[in-house]
Amino acid sequence: MKKTRLLGIWMDHSSAHAMTFVNDSIITEIIESAFTSQDREATLSRNENIMHNKEQQQHGLYYKRIAETIKDYEKVVIFGPTNAKNELANLLKEDHHFNNIEIEVKSADKMTEHQMHTFVKSYFDPANN
């Protein structure tokens, strides 16, 4: 029997922790957004419109990198404290490449790495489903 590929992603606008759940253990890859608070302040001091455009462009690239990771999985839970998870989920819904992937979005607070792993294990544990 083929194992289902499971992925948990804790994310905000600055980083995403992509956690593959395999054999009751977690393998984590961190994906960083290229748009930093230093970028925000530097471009904001010049022009708010330029800052907004740069931020949108960088977030788009960030979401695209996360989406590339998601393509390799059958079940994905995206969770975190900001609306970044919803922005990503909306982009994924518009892309037919993700039609056969079961994606769920959950709200969550800021978490330690251990708390993230516990959340993912609990979410995908067959005893909880």
Side-chain angles (χ1 to χ4, degrees):
M1 185 170 113
K2 182 182 170 230
K3 279 205 167 233
T4 303
R5 299 210 8 117
L6 309 172
L7 179 69
I9 300 175
W10 180 95
M11 69 179 296
D12 59 18
H13 284 101
S14 62
S15 68
H17 295 246
M19 296 163 278
T20 303
F21 184 60
V22 181
N23 298 327
D24 204 37
S25 65
I26 302 279
I27 301 165
T28 302
E29 173 193 0
I30 298 175
I31 302 167
E32 300 280 342
S33 172
F35 193 79
T36 65
S37 58
Q38 291 87 1
D39 288 334
R40 173 183 283 279
E41 289 184 25
T43 54
L44 188 56
S45 67
R46 286 182 288 169
N47 183 317
E48 187 173 337
N49 203 20
I50 292 171
M51 186 273 306
H52 180 70
N53 288 340
K54 183 173 181 178
E55 184 177 21
Q56 291 298 99
Q57 181 183 29
Q58 293 297 331
H59 282 315
L61 293 172
Y62 171 57
Y63 294 151
K64 193 174 198 170
R65 289 176 49 216
I66 298 168
E68 284 301 314
T69 300
I70 292 172
K71 284 182 181 177
D72 296 332
Y73 295 86
E74 284 95 36
K75 285 187 175 183
V76 178
V77 60
I78 304 170
F79 59 108
T82 67
N83 64 347
K85 63 189 172 294
N86 298 319
E87 293 168 7
L88 175 62
N90 289 336
L91 290 171
L92 299 175
K93 284 179 191 171
E94 295 172 4
D95 187 334
H96 69 88
H97 291 102
F98 300 95
N99 289 351
N100 294 325
I101 301 172
E102 185 181 317
I103 299 171
E104 186 171 358
V105 177
K106 297 274 192 181
S107 290
D109 293 328
K110 269 205 158 309
M111 296 180 163
T112 65
E113 189 85 15
H114 178 74
Q115 289 170 321
M116 292 177 205
H117 290 188
T118 300
F119 181 95
V120 171
K121 285 180 180 180
S122 173
Y123 181 84
F124 288 121
D125 184 354
N128 293 335
N129 295 321

